[in-house]
Amino acid sequence: MTFEKNILCIGAGYVGGPTMAMIGAKCPQYKVTVVDIDMNKIAAWKSDSLPIYEPGLSELVKTTRDRNLFFSTDIEAGIREANIIFVSVNTPTKTFGQGAGKAADLQYWEKTARQILANSKDSKIIVEKSTLPVRTAKAMERILNGNSEKIHFEVVSNPEFLAEGSAIKDLENPDRVLIGSSETEKGIRARKEIVDIYANWVAREKIIESNVWSSELSKLTANAFLAQRVSSINSLSALCEKTEADIDEVAHAVGMESRIGPRFLKASVGFGGSCFKKDILNLVYICQSYGLNEVADYWESVVKINEWQEKRFIQNMLINMFNTVAGKRIALFGFAFKADTGDTRESPALYITRGLLEERALVVISDPEALGNAKRDLKDFNENLIFTEDPYEAARESHAVAVLTEWRQFKELDYTRILNSMCQPAFIFDGRNILDHRRLFEMGFNVFAIGKAPLKHF
Ligand code: NAD
Ligand code: UGA
């Protein structure tokens, strides 16, 4: 079968895999190939057990795989064949040298650019799918178009806004698709080609076109604004705990205001995920490098409040459990950074677990999807750590339960059974405010939620 276009995606991760599966499903006229340096990941994409968990993903992959969606480790052949190359490699925070701890580490990105250059025999459109510092497209173009052949690479920015756990829904029905390019004739032509891909299923008025720098910066800004809302509500949760105001009631009252809106106002143990912290720190670094220190400090405070919120959660556990958790069994309900994903990157649960282990607690972790990642994350801790899928088993003989991920399953457990299996007095720390606190208190639990007055029997 001949296809209208050959699309390649370099990077088969949380973004590359689902995004290409959606393009493949909505555009049977295109051949879509996803490549990665990680052989195991590609093998998993070709199997029945995909490397990531997303509701609806396996069904989507099943209908498209080997029809017009292909997974491969042959990056060079993929580059040679492609007309359009999406680059979706990871762009973590730099851990070394200048900008360590803040700047984006662009080494994978640059390697990819050089590999594209080395293996291309004709002109191509290169799409920045990864989240990148504003003005990266400039560097990318310099590397790519520094070739002696008469090949032209047009770099287009098309940031991804999907959230994990709802990736398929977000891809199928996005709030908007953003495509930025240079304002030259070639740039605008390349932009139109990317618009044409999305126009196969996204309403035209939801596809926004902009200059390439606005597109790059809009992605960092969107994540910064979302994280800022969580830090704003979390900062006030501390004030609620002191004043008997209830943070969920405050969020509801404030969110009803149409200029503010109700979403992303759920107080929690803190935000996690691979991107919020990294993207804000990246923004902070860029601002600092332009001498905009006040702007940098403003955004950095969003990350600082988040770290404080996580720390506060542990301190609250310690203080309320008579200032010691040493030797006490503590059940953690949830390890993923949010519900409906197995991803544990930057999960508040990681920080809480480490803190409790330092206090010599015996930590029992239960999560329906994230135990594999949790074990990998905590492989350096050999003692005082138990993993179990069964939350009842986790809670048995424990002194406290801490809810760290808002999995629906945790709301539906038989808490009388849990209470009866625990050491007394039994504590619940609800880091997601998902449980019925009054009912638990009446059952006999001592209940500590985020941004609410404690409910305790002593
Ligand atoms: P990921 O780590 O899940 O996937 C990246 C993949 O790229 C890995 O499988 C890695 O092996 C591969 N890779 C790295 N260098 C490579 C190379 N030279 N050649 C081939 N493959 C290579 O990362 P992700 O979560 O998919 O994120 C990718 C980008 O998308 C990041 O910039 C991130 O900020 C952004 N983003 C992520 C999300 C999300 O929800 N995870 C959402 C929007 C945007
Ligand atoms: C986030 C953005 O929502 C996506 O638009 C973006 O594409 C993505 O980052 C990215 O660039 O990687 P994601 O990290 O998958 O998506 O998940 P979110 O739903 O944004 O949640 C992030 C964290 O904030 C989670 O730990 C979540 O529990 C927490 N959160 C969210 C709250 O504590 N309260 C809220 O009200 C909302």
Side-chain angles (χ1 to χ4, degrees):
M1 169 161 186
T2 52
F3 293 98
E4 251 175 53
K5 283 188 212 297
N6 280 326
I7 296 176
L8 177 73
C9 178
I10 303 181
Y14 281 88
V15 169
T19 310
M20 293 303 126
M22 185 57 71
I23 293 180
K26 299 293 183 184
C27 315
Q29 70 276 30
Y30 307 151
K31 179 179 176 191
V32 181
T33 308
V34 190
V35 291
D36 204 290
I37 33 171
D38 185 337
M39 284 161 57
N40 296 330
K41 209 175 260 189
I42 291 297
W45 278 111
K46 289 174 155 182
S47 76
D48 284 340
S49 148
L50 301 183
I52 58 174
Y53 169 73
E54 274 297 330
L57 177 64
S58 69
E59 293 80 351
L60 197 68
V61 170
K62 267 184 205 142
T63 53
T64 44
R65 198 171 49 194
D66 299 330
R67 179 189 80 180
N68 66 326
L69 176 68
F70 303 91
F71 293 93
S72 163
T73 49
D74 194 346
I75 304 177
E76 297 185 354
I79 293 172
R80 274 195 303 274
E81 267 189 19
N83 316 110
I84 299 172
I85 302 179
F86 286 79
V87 184
S88 184
V89 300
N90 36 333
T91 50
T93 303
K94 217 175 154 194
T95 53
F96 54 89
Q98 198 168 322
K102 283 204 182 89
D105 183 351
L106 297 177
Q107 59 171 310
Y108 308 102
W109 183 259
E110 186 169 333
K111 260 181 217 147
T112 309
R114 292 188 187 281
Q115 202 172 12
I116 292 174
L117 180 58
N119 292 288
S120 295
K121 297 263 171 286
D122 52 9
S123 299
K124 297 178 196 303
I125 299 173
I126 310 301
V127 186
E128 297 178 341
K129 196 66 174 157
S130 304
T131 303
L132 294 161
V134 55
R135 296 197 76 82
T136 302
K138 186 101 200 150
M140 185 90 175
E141 278 201 334
R142 287 228 171 103
I143 295 169
L144 288 168
N145 288 326
N147 65 77
S148 48
E149 327 247 334
K150 287 207 168 49
I151 306 178
H152 177 75
F153 295 93
E154 195 60 41
V155 180
V156 173
S157 161
N158 169 224
E160 184 47 61
F161 295 101
L162 68 79
E164 287 178 30
S166 56
I168 301 306
K169 203 165 70 41
D170 296 341
L171 287 166
E172 183 144 41
N173 189 17
D175 283 354
R176 78 315 207 175
V177 169
L178 177 56
I179 303 166
S181 73
S182 73
E183 306 282 357
T184 60
E185 202 187 312
K186 280 184 181 149
I188 290 169
R189 213 180 315 132
R191 192 200 286 181
K192 290 272 173 258
E193 276 217 44
I194 308 306
V195 169
D196 287 347
I197 297 176
Y198 287 99
N200 281 287
W201 79 97
V202 180
R204 188 61 189 79
E205 63 274 15
K206 284 193 175 176
I207 306 178
I208 313 171
E209 297 176 51
S210 75
N211 85 35
V212 67
W213 320 126
S214 310
S215 174
E216 289 176 337
L217 186 56
S218 298
K219 173 63 197 176
L220 293 182
T221 307
N223 273 0
F225 271 53
L226 290 168
Q228 182 208 41
R229 278 174 74 95
V230 179
S231 277
S232 296
I233 204 74
N234 281 347
S235 70
L236 294 168
S237 72
L239 184 58
C240 286
E241 287 162 30
K242 302 276 184 214
T243 57
E244 290 185 32
D246 178 315
I247 197 65
D248 286 338
E249 290 177 358
V250 173
H252 181 62
V254 171
M256 290 270 288
E257 154 79 60
S258 61
R259 289 172 298 174
I260 296 174
R263 299 182 66 189
F264 261 73
L265 289 181
K266 185 72 185 163
S268 66
V269 54
F271 61 73
S274 63
C275 294
F276 277 0
K277 182 174 168 194
K278 128 178 127 56
D279 292 348
I280 293 178
L281 292 178
N282 180 355
L283 185 65
V284 167
Y285 183 73
I286 297 167
C287 293
Q288 284 170 343
S289 65
Y290 284 107
L292 302 171
N293 294 326
E294 286 74 7
V295 186
D297 293 349
Y298 174 73
W299 288 108
E300 193 165 15
S301 70
V302 171
V303 174
K304 285 190 177 152
I305 285 286
N306 197 53
E307 287 167 354
W308 180 70
Q309 184 77 347
E310 293 173 340
K311 195 163 152 199
R312 232 167 53 77
F313 191 81
I314 299 183
Q315 280 170 348
N316 214 8
M317 290 183 82
L318 263 178
I319 291 166
N320 287 298
M321 293 174 75
F322 318 115
N323 289 309
T324 178
V325 290
K328 292 181 182 169
R329 181 174 166 121
I330 296 182
L332 301 188
F333 281 8
F335 202 83
F337 81 97
K338 63 188 264 192
D340 293 324
T341 175
D343 195 351
T344 59
R345 292 178 291 178
E346 297 292 337
S347 176
L350 259 167
Y351 180 83
I352 308 293
T353 304
R354 284 202 208 103
L356 291 172
L357 288 173
E358 268 168 33
E359 291 291 339
R360 311 230 168 133
L362 167 63
V363 181
V364 190
I365 297 172
S366 182
D367 190 291
E369 293 293 340
L371 285 190
N373 281 334
K375 284 178 193 165
R376 262 190 297 279
D377 295 338
L378 296 165
K379 63 178 185 318
D380 295 337
F381 297 86
N382 305 318
E383 281 175 29
N384 290 340
L385 206 50
I386 298 173
F387 300 91
T388 172
E389 249 176 57
D390 180 1
Y392 293 107
E393 173 51 27
R396 195 177 50 80
E397 288 174 11
S398 68
H399 291 253
V401 167
V403 179
L404 300 184
T405 312
E406 69 281 22
W407 286 103
R408 196 172 31 83
Q409 293 90 315
F410 297 146
K411 290 194 227 181
E412 292 161 0
L413 296 172
D414 176 350
Y415 280 92
T416 308
R417 176 178 162 196
I418 288 179
L419 177 68
N420 292 337
S421 75
M422 287 175 68
C423 293
Q424 304 300 322
F427 295 84
I428 284 201
F429 297 89
D430 185 354
R432 295 288 181 173
N433 285 356
I434 55 167
L435 304 179
D436 183 341
H437 302 135
R438 171 92 5 226
R439 207 171 69 83
L440 293 172
F441 172 67
E442 280 161 10
M443 255 176 219
F445 279 107
N446 297 291
V447 186
F448 301 84
I450 304 282
K452 291 171 195 264
L455 298 170
K456 47 188 180 181
H457 295 282
F458 48 86

